[in-house]
Amino acid sequence: MQRFASRAPFAASYAIVLLIMALATGPIGGPERALRLLLGTGYESVVENGHWWSVLTSVFVVDNGAELLLAVPAALFVLGFAERLLGTRRTVFAFFATAIVGTGLGILAQIAGVASGELWSRGVSELSALDPFTPIFGTIMAASFYAGPLWRRRIRVLTVAAALVLLLYSGQPSDVYRLIATFVGLGVGSLFRPHRIDLTWRRSSDHEARTLLAVIVGMVAIGPVVTIFSGARFGALSPLGLLLTQDVPAATNVIDRCMIGNITRQCVRELMLARVDGVGPVLVSALPLLALLVAAFGLARGRRFAAWFVIGVSSAMAALGAWYYILLPASGQPYVWHWPNTRYWEIAVALLISVLVPLLLAVVIALNLRRFPVKSSPGRLRRFFLVTVGSFLSLSVVYVGVGWLLRDRFRPTVDLVALLADVPERFIPVAFLRLERLTFLPTDMITTALYRWVGPIFWIVLIVNALLYMRSNVTRVDGADQDSRLRALLARGGGGSLAFMSTWAGNSLWFNATRSTVIAYQVVNGAAITLSEPIGPKDEVEAAVAEFAVMCDDHGWIPVFYSLHERWKPFFVGMGWQTMSVGEETMLRPRTWSTTGKKWQDIRSSISRAGREGVRAEWTTYRALSVAHSSQISEISEQWVQDKRLPELGFTLGGLDELRDPAVRLMLAIDSSDRVVAVTSWMPSCRDGVIIGWTLDFMRRTPDNMNGVMEFLIAETAAMLQQQPDIEFLSLSAAPLAQTQGDDASSSLAARILDFLGRTLEPVYGFRSLLAFKRKFQPEFIPLFMAYPDPVVLPTIGLALARAYVPTLSVRESLAFVRSLGPDTPSRSASTRPRSVLPR
């Protein structure tokens, strides 16, 4: 604690002050009313009572014990993190500036609202805010200007999202002050660290985007919990909390008073609350939110199903909100509450927000669908839908059938038509039904259980079914785990130095009839493109290729074998297929590794420079990393992605997710302050269960470290593997769409396709520059080629390759790409200077 206090003295002092003030004013229930009016801030306190100092005193007192349990850790960790980024003086300034300006602007907005008769401002004018989170939110936003690209985005996205969720689900004055302080913090940070305003969107890696989207979905899911524990509920999305915390009147009394004559506002509220009486209706309201939490878990793991699940649940909630909040009240049907005065446009806005928030969530996930590549087998998907639809239909039949048999036990007596019409409402969260006509209610234990529990049972089945689906392996064959079978085949050998790419998420796996050979492929634009050679026994793989081609033909796909080594060319030529060069793999031999001679001067200089600057190499796995080192690797990757004008590439290029495989090894460059400054990842190649080689995949570095750090890492890897007699090769992999020598058919359409693709991506991704970098190691150049059945389909294959490497290629860009394949396509000017993927 003493060490923490020395590194973040203001944060530690603030946490202590919060504790002392809580003990003095009431650690459980918070300050008494008189003290709350004196220290708390708000419209009444500042405007009517003249307590101008309350904008400051309010941030040193907590509202209750629950808030204290959250505020002290937030002060220590969030404010402490901000202080380590900003320094103590800047932190103190940002703390008080965001507290005063954020709260002050919020009160000014309330003054304007009260003067104009705005509904929310008048409703909260007497509330006093005690909120330490307002300056904490503002200060961490100011500190984001001093964070790296990874944490800068995380801080801003998550802080704004949290502030918005609190405002929408709670809606108290403190929530408004907090949101304003959040944006004031951005202004303060820009004053501390002025920079050129860049309004362009900064790309993030797929992994980081999935993480942020999962957290946002989780926040939306737990938003109603904020409503439940909120002292007052003025947020646009707060009806669930209102339903779950009100006293529930007796159903029979409600029926007697409200089912005859005109419906009053009190009757509508009591009818609404009668629906929520008991555990079952509460679960129907809460379980959809739990379903979103489950989906957030799947989103973080890259599950495509989880993305569709969020889209489905959110779209359904938006549709229900539009139907029950807007369309039905507008239709003027009987027994529906109409607001007494149409001038309160705020009510219409609140209802509209309740529809737009889940709809916006669904749209955002849909726009990022490509970031979730992990799919399960179609068989498991069919089982999920069968179980879901089957449970819904079965429970509906039980509800209608048993309800009709016990129709006399409902009040009034129910008929078959009424039961059928009521079926959907048994599965809908009660919050959507607060304006809906109530036609009957159960009156005894059996009918009450039937009325209240068919919905919760369905949602429980749906959530458990979704969990099992998302926890399942990516793909399966006849119940046998494909991933396990694939790794067993990789351990035996075969597939070449690039075979480990077949384990990456997003690939489809095809096994031959004996399951002794596997081919990994991706279907893009109607072409089934393999990532490597077939994996299996030498005497079976050729027959497997023919079987795979037949399977592709049955599905209407074009089979394309990509990244093949030279030994495969006679086989495909014998089949009558076309072949063309697509790149060159660079190979080192650790047994003969040496850095002597003039050609190795750059490598020797890099090794010497690392020694002088205290940079060391460390061979490890991702799971063995400390939290600090794994975070630093993520930040290095995020910085690299943001520097590109195009998104992160895929297909044969791994990203941050592929580092997490336990079989993959990392070689890190760590400086004297124990900070990771560069990272490379290496994929294994095996024969008979023994690793015989490693292939380079992921390669990133910080932009401001020593020159030659990548050369140092590769040299250290080769030197280390030289001591292992089983290692036969060290592959530096292939630079996609780049080669040292021209193709024999350089004027063919095929050559123009890949040449155009390579030249188009070169200025951003630097494939040719990457190949030039690898030449420093004096490697063997091993040609890689592509085999395809018919030259007529080359435009389709070219577009498929473009989409495989750049999945976000737009329709307009795709059309421009195809048009450019004509014979008169101009070459890029010789003066164009590509930017390397390895900034020196």
Side-chain angles (χ1 to χ4, degrees), residues 154 205 207-208 210-211 300 487 500 621-625 630-631 633-634 637 655-666 681 698:
R154 287 180 177 179
S205 64
H207 172 80
E208 180 65 12
R210 287 196 295 269
T211 301
R487 290 179 185 269
F500 196 82
T621 64
Y622 193 89
R623 293 186 178 183
L625 295 175
S630 61
S631 177
I633 291 173
S634 298
S637 177
L656 197 61
D657 290 333
E658 284 68 38
L659 269 63
R660 291 169 164 77
D661 193 300
V664 171
R665 294 294 182 268
L666 307 180
S681 73
F698 188 88

Side-chain angles (χ1 to χ4, degrees), residues 487-494 685-692 726 728:
R487 290 179 185 269
L489 292 174
L490 286 171
R492 295 175 192 171
S685 294
C686 300
R687 184 191 304 129
D688 298 327
V690 177
I691 296 177
I692 61 170
D726 293 328
E728 299 176 5

Side-chain angles (χ1 to χ4, degrees), residues 156-216:
R156 293 175 180 177
V157 171
L158 299 183
T159 303
V160 172
L164 284 172
V165 166
L166 290 169
L167 177 63
L168 290 173
Y169 283 97
S170 176
Q172 297 187 68
S174 58
D175 301 313
V176 176
Y177 307 157
R178 191 182 305 118
L179 181 63
I180 296 174
T182 297
F183 292 105
V184 172
L186 284 176
V188 172
S190 65
L191 291 176
F192 287 156
R193 200 170 191 179
H195 66 289
R196 184 176 61 85
I197 297 177
D198 184 6
L199 298 179
T200 59
W201 172 250
R202 307 291 288 180
R203 295 185 182 273
S204 64
S205 64
D206 289 342
H207 172 80
E208 180 65 12
R210 287 196 295 269
T211 301
L212 293 175
L213 289 171
V215 172
I216 290 173

